Amino acid sequence: MDNLARQLKVLAEPNRLRIVDLLMEGVQCNCELGDALGMAPNLISHHLRILREVGLVDVERDAVDARWVYYSINRSTLAELAQVFGAFFDPARIKERHPACGPQGSPIQLEPMTAIIA
Amino acid sequence: MDNLARQLKVLAEPNRLRIVDLLMEGVQCNCELGDALGMAPNLISHHLRILREVGLVDVERDAVDARWVYYSINRSTLAELAQVFGAFFDPARIKERHPACGPQGSPIQLEPMTAIIA
DNA sequence: TTAATAGTTCAATGGCAGTTGAATCATTTG
DNA sequence: CAAATGATTCAACTGCCATTGAACTATTAA
């Protein structure tokens, strides 16, 4: 579960989420990502490193001109994440209330409350 | 997409993720959550408020003894989140590389790179 | 070999947010 | 009424992390 939280934290950053989205669309080099997002190359590198650390992104270097570096989504990591997430947040998992506290004799006597929100 | 990032950010906090997990198991009052997680009641309240703000959690007040407050997972919000997440991170969405930059004439000539990680 | 290019690493900054303890609110009980 | 209970709100603190600008590495081009 801590592992899930860690991956969610990585994806919860808006710019990283956009990077992942662009990588899924096929965009891959640092410069293109930076252009698309209006971000500096070093910042792109920073986020890509974090995405690599959780295994969501892979790296390749161009065989002809080694200055170019291409990033891509790691399919298996993504698939596993989607699977774990889907299992964890499956609405069917929600169980009925079984309170161990509260007054005896009021098992299911509840009234909807909107006041506390206002 | 910003909306997705916001919900992910809420769920990326380990203690909140545990609270969500407990709520799915049927645990619901502040005190029980606090006992289960070893956290002070005010901190539980804090995280529950954040979960409420994104619509993931609902609130009810005990009809017999109004001092007790019960929290529960909002099924529709959870279902929508699971759906959006599943669609966004679907491995089938990953497209082929189509680089607009890089040297001409090296379309698919790449070599795997492990050095950069070390 | 010198300059240019693509990218990374480093140090410093600033803001957000989780945590803490005390105070407060609302409700029920004696 | 006063005391107790369940929970929330408030103010202050602290640590983490995205951002920034500059320096640095590696590779290719002139």
Side-chain angles (χ1 to χ4, degrees), chain A residues 1 3-4 20 29-30 32 41 44 49-50 56 58 60 91-92 94 98 108:
Chain A
M1 190 147 97
N3 192 44
L4 175 59
V20 168
C29 65
N30 185 315
E32 249 187 318
I44 300 287
R49 188 174 58 81
I50 292 172
L56 251 93
D58 290 330
E60 290 170 301
I94 302 176
H98 46 79
I108 316 280

PDB file of all heavy atoms in Angstrom, chain A residues 1 3-4 20 29-30 32 41 44 49-50 56 58 60 91-92 94 98 108:
ATOM      1  N   MET A   1       0.834  -1.212   0.000  1.00  0.00           N
ATOM      2  CA  MET A   1       0.000   0.000   0.000  1.00  0.00           C
ATOM      3  C   MET A   1       0.865   1.257   0.000  1.00  0.00           C
ATOM      4  O   MET A   1       0.551   2.243  -0.644  1.00  0.00           O
ATOM      5  CB  MET A   1      -0.915   0.006   1.213  1.00  0.00           C
ATOM      6  CG  MET A   1      -1.963   1.095   1.135  1.00  0.00           C
ATOM      7  SD  MET A   1      -3.511   0.654   1.902  1.00  0.00           S
ATOM      8  CE  MET A   1      -3.312   1.415   3.496  1.00  0.00           C
ATOM      9  N   ASN A   3       3.677   1.367  -1.324  1.00  0.00           N
ATOM     10  CA  ASN A   3       4.198   1.424  -2.685  1.00  0.00           C
ATOM     11  C   ASN A   3       3.202   2.125  -3.625  1.00  0.00           C
ATOM     12  O   ASN A   3       3.581   2.959  -4.442  1.00  0.00           O
ATOM     13  CB  ASN A   3       4.475   0.009  -3.205  1.00  0.00           C
ATOM     14  CG  ASN A   3       5.274   0.033  -4.487  1.00  0.00           C
ATOM     15  OD1 ASN A   3       6.235   0.795  -4.601  1.00  0.00           O
ATOM     16  ND2 ASN A   3       4.852  -0.771  -5.448  1.00  0.00           N
ATOM     17  N   LEU A   4       1.930   1.803  -3.461  1.00  0.00           N
ATOM     18  CA  LEU A   4       0.892   2.469  -4.251  1.00  0.00           C
ATOM     19  C   LEU A   4       0.891   3.959  -3.987  1.00  0.00           C
ATOM     20  O   LEU A   4       0.829   4.781  -4.913  1.00  0.00           O
ATOM     21  CB  LEU A   4      -0.477   1.865  -3.920  1.00  0.00           C
ATOM     22  CG  LEU A   4      -1.684   2.541  -4.590  1.00  0.00           C
ATOM     23  CD1 LEU A   4      -1.573   2.508  -6.099  1.00  0.00           C
ATOM     24  CD2 LEU A   4      -2.991   1.885  -4.140  1.00  0.00           C
ATOM     25  N   VAL A  20       3.750  12.272 -18.668  1.00  0.00           N
ATOM     26  CA  VAL A  20       3.304  10.898 -18.915  1.00  0.00           C
ATOM     27  C   VAL A  20       2.320  10.872 -20.082  1.00  0.00           C
ATOM     28  O   VAL A  20       2.403  10.025 -20.973  1.00  0.00           O
ATOM     29  CB  VAL A  20       2.658  10.287 -17.656  1.00  0.00           C
ATOM     30  CG1 VAL A  20       1.948   8.983 -17.977  1.00  0.00           C
ATOM     31  CG2 VAL A  20       3.708  10.066 -16.584  1.00  0.00           C
ATOM     32  N   CYS A  29      11.588  13.132 -26.735  1.00  0.00           N
ATOM     33  CA  CYS A  29      12.850  13.747 -26.340  1.00  0.00           C
ATOM     34  C   CYS A  29      12.606  14.900 -25.363  1.00  0.00           C
ATOM     35  O   CYS A  29      11.516  15.465 -25.297  1.00  0.00           O
ATOM     36  CB  CYS A  29      13.637  14.216 -27.554  1.00  0.00           C
ATOM     37  SG  CYS A  29      12.837  15.540 -28.453  1.00  0.00           S
ATOM     38  N   ASN A  30      13.624  15.197 -24.606  1.00  0.00           N
ATOM     39  CA  ASN A  30      13.561  16.257 -23.603  1.00  0.00           C
ATOM     40  C   ASN A  30      13.086  17.571 -24.209  1.00  0.00           C
ATOM     41  O   ASN A  30      12.188  18.219 -23.668  1.00  0.00           O
ATOM     42  CB  ASN A  30      14.957  16.431 -22.979  1.00  0.00           C
ATOM     43  CG  ASN A  30      14.948  17.426 -21.837  1.00  0.00           C
ATOM     44  OD1 ASN A  30      14.356  18.495 -21.929  1.00  0.00           O
ATOM     45  ND2 ASN A  30      15.610  17.079 -20.747  1.00  0.00           N
ATOM     46  N   GLU A  32      11.370  18.296 -26.928  1.00  0.00           N
ATOM     47  CA  GLU A  32       9.973  18.358 -27.350  1.00  0.00           C
ATOM     48  C   GLU A  32       9.034  18.473 -26.165  1.00  0.00           C
ATOM     49  O   GLU A  32       8.053  19.233 -26.188  1.00  0.00           O
ATOM     50  CB  GLU A  32       9.627  17.111 -28.162  1.00  0.00           C
ATOM     51  CG  GLU A  32       9.377  17.403 -29.628  1.00  0.00           C
ATOM     52  CD  GLU A  32       8.887  16.180 -30.348  1.00  0.00           C
ATOM     53  OE1 GLU A  32       9.429  15.085 -30.098  1.00  0.00           O
ATOM     54  OE2 GLU A  32       7.978  16.306 -31.171  1.00  0.00           O
ATOM     55  N   PRO A  41      14.620  22.680 -19.823  1.00  0.00           N
ATOM     56  CA  PRO A  41      15.144  21.320 -19.977  1.00  0.00           C
ATOM     57  C   PRO A  41      15.552  20.678 -18.655  1.00  0.00           C
ATOM     58  O   PRO A  41      15.301  19.487 -18.441  1.00  0.00           O
ATOM     59  CB  PRO A  41      16.374  21.500 -20.875  1.00  0.00           C
ATOM     60  CG  PRO A  41      16.157  22.789 -21.575  1.00  0.00           C
ATOM     61  CD  PRO A  41      15.349  23.650 -20.672  1.00  0.00           C
ATOM     62  N   ILE A  44      12.540  19.384 -16.912  1.00  0.00           N
ATOM     63  CA  ILE A  44      12.071  18.151 -17.558  1.00  0.00           C
ATOM     64  C   ILE A  44      12.920  16.968 -17.107  1.00  0.00           C
ATOM     65  O   ILE A  44      12.394  15.911 -16.742  1.00  0.00           O
ATOM     66  CB  ILE A  44      12.146  18.292 -19.097  1.00  0.00           C
ATOM     67  CG1 ILE A  44      11.266  19.452 -19.570  1.00  0.00           C
ATOM     68  CG2 ILE A  44      11.745  16.992 -19.771  1.00  0.00           C
ATOM     69  CD1 ILE A  44       9.792  19.176 -19.515  1.00  0.00           C
ATOM     70  N   ARG A  49      13.566  11.950 -14.187  1.00  0.00           N
ATOM     71  CA  ARG A  49      14.344  11.115 -13.271  1.00  0.00           C
ATOM     72  C   ARG A  49      13.431  10.484 -12.222  1.00  0.00           C
ATOM     73  O   ARG A  49      13.541   9.295 -11.890  1.00  0.00           O
ATOM     74  CB  ARG A  49      15.438  11.948 -12.590  1.00  0.00           C
ATOM     75  CG  ARG A  49      16.410  11.122 -11.765  1.00  0.00           C
ATOM     76  CD  ARG A  49      17.544  11.974 -11.239  1.00  0.00           C
ATOM     77  NE  ARG A  49      17.050  13.072 -10.421  1.00  0.00           N
ATOM     78  CZ  ARG A  49      16.699  12.933  -9.135  1.00  0.00           C
ATOM     79  NH1 ARG A  49      16.779  11.758  -8.560  1.00  0.00           N
ATOM     80  NH2 ARG A  49      16.254  13.973  -8.453  1.00  0.00           N
ATOM     81  N   ILE A  50      12.509  11.283 -11.708  1.00  0.00           N
ATOM     82  CA  ILE A  50      11.574  10.774 -10.698  1.00  0.00           C
ATOM     83  C   ILE A  50      10.655   9.704 -11.293  1.00  0.00           C
ATOM     84  O   ILE A  50      10.357   8.700 -10.644  1.00  0.00           O
ATOM     85  CB  ILE A  50      10.759  11.944 -10.114  1.00  0.00           C
ATOM     86  CG1 ILE A  50      11.687  12.847  -9.305  1.00  0.00           C
ATOM     87  CG2 ILE A  50       9.610  11.447  -9.265  1.00  0.00           C
ATOM     88  CD1 ILE A  50      11.063  14.128  -8.840  1.00  0.00           C
ATOM     89  N   LEU A  56       8.328   3.867 -14.144  1.00  0.00           N
ATOM     90  CA  LEU A  56       7.269   4.178 -15.102  1.00  0.00           C
ATOM     91  C   LEU A  56       7.811   4.599 -16.456  1.00  0.00           C
ATOM     92  O   LEU A  56       7.091   4.566 -17.450  1.00  0.00           O
ATOM     93  CB  LEU A  56       6.369   5.299 -14.562  1.00  0.00           C
ATOM     94  CG  LEU A  56       4.970   4.892 -14.145  1.00  0.00           C
ATOM     95  CD1 LEU A  56       4.950   4.569 -12.672  1.00  0.00           C
ATOM     96  CD2 LEU A  56       3.977   5.986 -14.477  1.00  0.00           C
ATOM     97  N   ASP A  58      11.222   4.561 -19.289  1.00  0.00           N
ATOM     98  CA  ASP A  58      12.489   3.983 -19.735  1.00  0.00           C
ATOM     99  C   ASP A  58      13.274   4.996 -20.554  1.00  0.00           C
ATOM    100  O   ASP A  58      12.721   5.973 -21.042  1.00  0.00           O
ATOM    101  CB  ASP A  58      12.227   2.729 -20.578  1.00  0.00           C
ATOM    102  CG  ASP A  58      11.691   1.583 -19.725  1.00  0.00           C
ATOM    103  OD1 ASP A  58      12.040   1.535 -18.537  1.00  0.00           O
ATOM    104  OD2 ASP A  58      10.923   0.772 -20.253  1.00  0.00           O
ATOM    105  N   GLU A  60      16.343   5.613 -23.658  1.00  0.00           N
ATOM    106  CA  GLU A  60      17.173   5.105 -24.746  1.00  0.00           C
ATOM    107  C   GLU A  60      18.004   6.260 -25.282  1.00  0.00           C
ATOM    108  O   GLU A  60      17.633   7.410 -25.154  1.00  0.00           O
ATOM    109  CB  GLU A  60      16.311   4.554 -25.886  1.00  0.00           C
ATOM    110  CG  GLU A  60      15.589   3.270 -25.562  1.00  0.00           C
ATOM    111  CD  GLU A  60      14.590   2.931 -26.648  1.00  0.00           C
ATOM    112  OE1 GLU A  60      13.677   3.765 -26.885  1.00  0.00           O
ATOM    113  OE2 GLU A  60      14.717   1.871 -27.257  1.00  0.00           O
ATOM    114  N   PRO A  91     -15.257   0.004  -6.511  1.00  0.00           N
ATOM    115  CA  PRO A  91     -16.431   0.306  -5.680  1.00  0.00           C
ATOM    116  C   PRO A  91     -17.066  -0.946  -5.083  1.00  0.00           C
ATOM    117  O   PRO A  91     -17.677  -0.875  -4.013  1.00  0.00           O
ATOM    118  CB  PRO A  91     -17.384   0.988  -6.660  1.00  0.00           C
ATOM    119  CG  PRO A  91     -16.495   1.560  -7.706  1.00  0.00           C
ATOM    120  CD  PRO A  91     -15.348   0.606  -7.847  1.00  0.00           C
ATOM    121  N   ALA A  92     -16.895  -2.072  -5.750  1.00  0.00           N
ATOM    122  CA  ALA A  92     -17.478  -3.306  -5.241  1.00  0.00           C
ATOM    123  C   ALA A  92     -16.824  -3.738  -3.931  1.00  0.00           C
ATOM    124  O   ALA A  92     -17.359  -4.563  -3.199  1.00  0.00           O
ATOM    125  CB  ALA A  92     -17.335  -4.421  -6.285  1.00  0.00           C
ATOM    126  N   ILE A  94     -16.379  -1.864  -1.380  1.00  0.00           N
ATOM    127  CA  ILE A  94     -16.949  -1.147  -0.230  1.00  0.00           C
ATOM    128  C   ILE A  94     -17.868  -2.065   0.564  1.00  0.00           C
ATOM    129  O   ILE A  94     -18.837  -2.604   0.030  1.00  0.00           O
ATOM    130  CB  ILE A  94     -17.733   0.103  -0.702  1.00  0.00           C
ATOM    131  CG1 ILE A  94     -16.819   1.026  -1.507  1.00  0.00           C
ATOM    132  CG2 ILE A  94     -18.335   0.826   0.496  1.00  0.00           C
ATOM    133  CD1 ILE A  94     -17.526   2.223  -2.092  1.00  0.00           C
ATOM    134  N   HIS A  98     -20.045  -1.451   9.931  1.00  0.00           N
ATOM    135  CA  HIS A  98     -20.143  -2.271  11.142  1.00  0.00           C
ATOM    136  C   HIS A  98     -19.382  -1.559  12.250  1.00  0.00           C
ATOM    137  O   HIS A  98     -18.255  -1.914  12.592  1.00  0.00           O
ATOM    138  CB  HIS A  98     -19.615  -3.687  10.929  1.00  0.00           C
ATOM    139  CG  HIS A  98     -18.299  -3.761  10.225  1.00  0.00           C
ATOM    140  ND1 HIS A  98     -17.115  -3.527  10.861  1.00  0.00           N
ATOM    141  CD2 HIS A  98     -17.996  -4.035   8.944  1.00  0.00           C
ATOM    142  CE1 HIS A  98     -16.123  -3.679   9.991  1.00  0.00           C
ATOM    143  NE2 HIS A  98     -16.619  -3.981   8.837  1.00  0.00           N
ATOM    144  N   ILE A 108     -28.604   1.386  12.565  1.00  0.00           N
ATOM    145  CA  ILE A 108     -28.648   1.927  11.200  1.00  0.00           C
ATOM    146  C   ILE A 108     -29.477   3.209  11.158  1.00  0.00           C
ATOM    147  O   ILE A 108     -29.913   3.643  10.119  1.00  0.00           O
ATOM    148  CB  ILE A 108     -29.233   0.891  10.216  1.00  0.00           C
ATOM    149  CG1 ILE A 108     -28.657  -0.501  10.444  1.00  0.00           C
ATOM    150  CG2 ILE A 108     -28.964   1.297   8.779  1.00  0.00           C
ATOM    151  CD1 ILE A 108     -27.312  -0.723   9.848  1.00  0.00           C
TER     152      ILE A 108
END
